[in-house]
Amino acid sequence: MTTATTSRGDRRVSPVFLGILAVTAVTGWATWTGFAERPGVAVFLFVTAAWVVSLCLHEYAHARTALHSGDITIGAKGYLTLNPMKYTHALLSVVLPVIFVIMGGIGLPGGAVFIERGRIRGRWRHSLVSAAGPLTNVLFAAVCTAPFWLHALDGVPGDFRYALAFLALLQVSAAILNFLPVPGLDGYGVIEPWLPPGAKRQVEPFAPFGLLFVFALLWLPSVNGVFFDLVDAILRGLGVGDGDASYGYSLYRFW
């Protein structure tokens, strides 16, 4: 019943998203073949485009789960088209996450889709809507690291391998940070339905600043060290070598 008011056009994949996919494919090919005269430029474009693709999929997962949980307004807002230009805050949704990657090699998606929570019934459904985004990052990380944990790296060019490792780092860091129970992040959205009303009212004013607060904390050397130690431990568990992601980041920052 929830999909009955969603037209076929509301679900049609946006040309903008297809264009981003095309950039990802072409620059991935250039990274793989060594076609680019400056490999760092190809790695930069490939990782950035793939990162934006993952941002779109992250928000699509929120929207699709919300649709099936009762918010039938999602389709009309354009959220099912995977078009990042349809998001509520383009700056928070795409620009800031890319800046975070360039400045610190950190994957941190921002808030993007507006969900009418009043249409969703049941605390478990609310939690699932919030969890759907970072779970998409977990899946993306698994795909990026598949050649590593499947021991299928024979024949994979070095630059492409390092780019995949860095892209995996972004996905792992995005999943960890988004699952933090900080207002404004998905982790808080998971637990919010289970909090007393008074606690929700006290926390609500801080929600717009949660993302920037977390990013500021990561600039503290002690916090940054602990965080990336955790990310590196997860990557090692997925078969990614200690230096692969860091070398990928150095290629990414070609300038």
Side-chain angles (χ1 to χ4, degrees), residues 5-190:
T5 59
T6 303
S7 68
R8 182 175 299 178
D10 292 336
R11 299 191 301 268
R12 187 176 295 119
V13 177
S14 163
V16 175
F17 180 75
L18 293 177
I20 299 169
L21 273 183
V23 172
T24 305
V26 170
T27 54
W29 170 81
T31 301
W32 179 283
T33 61
F35 177 81
E37 187 174 326
R38 299 180 64 186
V41 176
V43 169
F44 174 83
L45 293 174
F46 169 60
V47 172
T48 300
W51 173 236
V52 175
V53 167
S54 75
L55 293 175
C56 295
L57 293 174
H58 176 110
E59 301 305 337
Y60 176 83
H62 284 309
R64 191 77 188 191
T65 307
L67 173 67
H68 291 291
S69 297
D71 184 0
I72 59 175
T73 68
I74 287 295
K77 294 171 183 173
Y79 297 157
L80 300 179
T81 66
L82 291 158
N83 184 356
M85 306 305 294
K86 295 291 185 179
Y87 296 155
T88 308
H89 301 291
L91 177 65
L92 288 177
S93 306
V94 178
V95 178
L96 277 183
V98 171
I99 291 175
F100 290 156
V101 171
I102 294 173
M103 292 178 61
I106 300 171
L108 189 58
V113 296
F114 175 71
I115 296 169
E116 296 189 16
R117 292 280 182 169
R119 294 177 177 268
I120 299 174
R121 296 290 181 264
R123 290 183 291 183
W124 282 109
R125 289 181 178 178
H126 282 281
S127 295
L128 185 58
V129 168
S130 295
L135 287 175
T136 303
N137 294 113
V138 172
L139 179 61
F140 210 108
V143 172
C144 290
T145 56
F148 297 88
W149 50 266
L150 289 175
H151 306 290
L153 288 169
D154 291 343
V156 177
D159 288 348
F160 191 83
R161 166 181 174 165
Y162 301 135
L164 272 186
F166 178 52
L167 184 57
L169 179 148
L170 296 179
Q171 301 303 324
V172 170
S173 62
I176 294 173
L177 292 173
N178 267 277
F179 272 127
L180 291 176
V182 175
L185 297 181
D186 293 327
Y188 177 75
V190 172

